[in-house]
Amino acid sequence: MKTVQAQKVLEKQRAAVMAKEEASLVRLQEKRDVAVIAISSALKRNKNAHVEAESESVAVGCEIFSVGEKPLDAVASECEVIGVKRLFENDDVKLLSNPQLAKLCEEMDAGGLHKFISDNRKNLASIKEEIPIALKVAGDPGRLVLESLNGFYIPEGSNSDGKKDSNLLGLKRTCIMLMECLSVLLASLDVSTVSKVITEDVKDRAKVIAQGWKPKLVDLDLDASNGNSLEAHAFLQLVATFGIDSDFVHEDLAKLIPMVSRRHQAADLCRFLRLSDKMPGVIDVLVNNGRHIDAVNLAFAFELTEQFSPVTLLKSYLAEAVKVPSTVKAGNSSPTSQNDVSEKELSALKAVTKCIEEHKLETEYPLDPLQKRILQLEKAKADKKQATEVVKPQSKRSRANGVVAGYRPRNTTVTADKNFYAPRYAPPTQYMYYPGPPENHVHSFIGTTTYNMAPNHGPYFGNGFQYQAPYLH
């Protein structure tokens, strides 16, 4: 009898304890929900509450309040600044040399961010370094960057030519840069914090944008892009930054790599997208299209130099470059076309020389013969330019007696002598032409190469983008 009573008492106590634990868990969950709602609401309103000195006391207050003690609005006003600090240690935001960046990020102002970058493109290197820090104070960094992508493609039916619009080119570069900066921020976070920045909602939005961009890449020409396509780069960066590569076939992503192979971010993009195993095929595509320099760079980046010998690739590239086209052999080419092939050889030699220096291949591929040939071509180019310069005619000068120099007065007296049929005017000596120095005939050694590289490779700024006038960012 006593045993039965004891068991009943124990069951009652156990039930009471479980009820208390459940009630405690419910209250704790309610506190968490309220805090999340408060933080989200506060960040959306973008209130700039300067409570640095009170941050510790407010944080304590947020930890110990009970649901019934304070209304939701009161909790929001106390916790609005704490929300971001719980995700990031953003003390470094105060040290920004461009504090306007933090303000624009805090206000979730994507348009203002674009304008600020455009207006300060001369300081683009320092701005790119500070954007990942400024993004820490954004209420939703992922959404802010996605909103910055608006306008990347001009609307259908627009009269604007996107390829020639320097402002649109600048906007596209800024979009890519902002996605890169978000990637830098994410790389510094742990997995749990990354999931709070790149939420499922943000991922879904990124997928919608990527699906809208993908069809626009179908007609992208490999030769026209010349390894420097902003459109292909932006698509790959979008997929990499927001971690949505599982929604796309890796074979399709790998096909875009040759279109961005000249951009120095290409190797990192391949790694982020887990495309390293696709690189042998990508390098084959580049070689088959005469893009040996890009092939060598990727071979070094992915440690494939045993499979793809850099020296062999470079020598093959020059061998193709010095082939004389059939039109030149037949003697049907114009001086202009001969100059063009000389320029291509010079460009190829400079590209190979730069590649050898960057990858320290001097012992395997000596530079002296290449540099001598470069000097020879440059000298021939200068000599030909000097030889073909036309002497400009001098302007007529009046003498003191009013007679124009170079002309004799007209003889109006008709005299029947042996000089009657002589010319009335002396030939104007200042218009006499003399043959210039003989042209230096330069041997044409080269033919058309499929690797369309300009003599001067465009400058790369600290931000990683290749900029070109008139819009420099």
Side-chain angles (χ1 to χ4, degrees):
M1 194 68 181
K2 290 182 179 180
T3 302
V4 174
Q5 290 178 352
Q7 288 179 347
K8 290 181 179 180
V9 171
L10 288 174
E11 289 177 0
K12 288 181 180 179
Q13 290 178 347
R14 187 181 296 110
V17 170
M18 291 179 64
K20 288 181 179 179
E21 288 179 350
E22 186 175 352
S24 177
L25 289 173
V26 170
R27 288 195 299 272
L28 179 59
Q29 187 60 46
E30 289 175 346
K31 291 179 181 180
R32 289 175 178 171
D33 293 342
V34 170
V36 170
I37 294 172
I39 292 167
S40 177
S41 176
L43 290 174
K44 287 181 180 178
R45 290 197 300 268
N46 294 310
K47 291 182 179 179
N48 189 17
H50 301 287
V51 291
E52 178 183 352
E54 301 176 2
S55 60
E56 293 185 4
S57 61
V58 173
V60 173
C62 291
E63 293 291 338
I64 64 175
F65 74 86
S66 70
V67 177
E69 291 174 356
K70 296 182 180 180
L72 182 61
D73 291 342
V75 174
S77 63
E78 289 183 355
C79 298
E80 62 186 76
V81 183
I82 307 305
V84 176
K85 292 198 72 172
R86 284 177 176 173
L87 289 178
F88 306 108
E89 291 296 332
N90 58 359
D91 290 339
D92 47 356
V93 173
K94 303 170 189 174
L95 304 177
L96 293 178
S97 61
N98 299 287
Q100 184 69 10
L101 283 174
K103 184 176 183 296
L104 292 168
C105 289
E106 187 177 12
E107 294 174 351
M108 297 287 289
D109 187 354
L113 199 56
H114 266 284
K115 186 177 186 304
F116 178 83
I117 293 171
S118 176
D119 293 343
N120 296 275
R121 55 185 178 271
K122 291 183 179 179
N123 302 319
L124 203 58
S126 64
I127 289 175
K128 187 179 181 183
E129 290 179 357
E130 295 188 346
I131 288 177
I133 301 172
L135 285 173
K136 293 181 179 182
V137 298
D140 191 341
R143 182 166 63 87
L144 174 61
V145 173
L146 286 178
E147 290 177 354
S148 74
L149 303 180
N150 291 335
F152 187 88
Y153 282 99
I154 58 176
E156 295 292 338
S158 173
N159 294 327
S160 175
D161 187 350
K163 294 182 179 179
K164 298 180 180 179
D165 189 341
S166 60
N167 290 328
L168 182 59
L169 292 176
L171 182 144
K172 290 183 176 183
R173 293 188 181 101
T174 299
C175 289
I176 294 172
M177 186 181 73
L178 289 173
M179 288 190 286
E180 288 179 326
C181 290
L182 180 59
S183 294
V184 172
L185 173 61
L186 296 174
S188 67
L189 306 177
D190 55 49
V191 177
S192 61
T193 308
V194 169
S195 64
K196 296 176 183 177
V197 176
I198 307 296
T199 61
E200 289 302 319
D201 178 62
V202 168
K203 276 193 174 185
D204 290 340
R205 294 186 184 189
K207 291 175 186 177
V208 171
I209 295 174
Q211 292 293 352
W213 285 3
K214 185 179 177 183
K216 301 179 184 297
L217 303 175
V218 174
D219 298 329
L220 199 60
D221 185 73
L222 178 62
D223 293 331
S225 65
N226 199 25
N228 196 27
S229 169
L230 290 176
E231 292 76 15
H233 186 179
F235 179 83
L236 293 171
Q237 191 67 59
L238 174 66
V239 173
T241 299
F242 293 91
I244 56 175
D245 55 293
S246 59
D247 287 65
F248 298 92
V249 179
H250 280 199
E251 290 288 347
D252 293 339
L253 297 177
K255 290 178 182 177
L256 297 175
I257 299 302
M259 300 177 188
V260 299
S261 57
R262 284 193 65 187
R263 302 185 74 78
H264 76 275
Q265 304 97 327
D268 288 338
L269 279 174
C270 292
R271 295 188 186 97
F272 282 134
L273 296 169
R274 296 173 293 176
L275 299 177
S276 298
D277 60 324
K278 307 291 183 185
M279 286 304 102
V282 171
I283 293 175
D284 281 333
V285 170
L286 291 171
V287 173
N288 292 335
N289 284 273
R291 305 263 290 280
H292 299 66
I293 304 296
D294 296 345
V296 170
N297 292 335
L298 287 180
F300 272 101
F302 291 93
E303 299 180 354
L304 296 171
T305 53
E306 292 186 2
Q307 183 177 351
F308 299 94
S309 169
V311 173
T312 301
L313 289 175
L314 294 176
K315 288 183 177 181
S316 174
Y317 174 49
L318 280 182
E320 290 294 324
V322 299
K323 285 184 178 179
V324 180
S326 58
T327 55
V328 177
K329 289 180 179 178
N332 298 325
S333 64
S334 64
T336 302
S337 62
Q338 291 179 347
N339 290 338
D340 289 342
V341 294
S342 297
E343 286 291 339
K344 288 179 181 178
E345 182 185 5
L346 187 59
S347 174
L349 286 165
K350 290 182 177 180
V352 169
T353 301
K354 181 180 178 182
C355 189
I356 292 172
E357 292 173 343
E358 286 180 349
H359 298 295
K360 304 185 187 310
L361 296 170
E362 291 89 340
T363 56
E364 302 174 59
Y365 200 163
L367 288 175
D368 285 346
L370 302 179
Q371 292 172 340
K372 288 179 180 178
R373 179 59 180 159
I374 289 174
L375 291 175
Q376 180 184 359
L377 287 173
E378 288 181 337
K379 183 179 184 302
K381 179 180 176 181
D383 291 344
K384 182 171 289 189
K385 181 179 179 181
Q386 182 179 3
T388 55
E389 284 182 349
V390 178
V391 178
K392 295 182 179 180
Q394 299 177 1
S395 60
K396 299 177 181 179
R397 300 185 308 275
S398 298
R399 293 178 178 174
N401 59 4
V403 180
V404 177
Y407 288 91
R408 294 180 181 177
R410 182 176 179 179
N411 185 4
T412 57
T413 304
V414 179
T415 305
D417 59 10
K418 62 181 179 180
N419 294 324
F420 178 79
Y421 294 101
R424 294 182 178 181
Y425 302 102
T429 56
Q430 73 271 28
Y431 285 97
M432 294 294 289
Y433 290 96
Y434 299 92
E439 291 190 1
N440 293 323
H441 295 282
V442 181
H443 294 287
S444 298
F445 290 98
I446 65 170
T448 303
T449 174
T450 55
Y451 189 80
N452 185 18
M453 177 174 289
N456 295 321
H457 301 282
Y460 282 92
F461 290 84
N463 62 354
F465 300 116
Q466 188 177 15
Y467 297 100
Q468 52 197 25
Y471 199 94
L472 295 179
H473 105 84

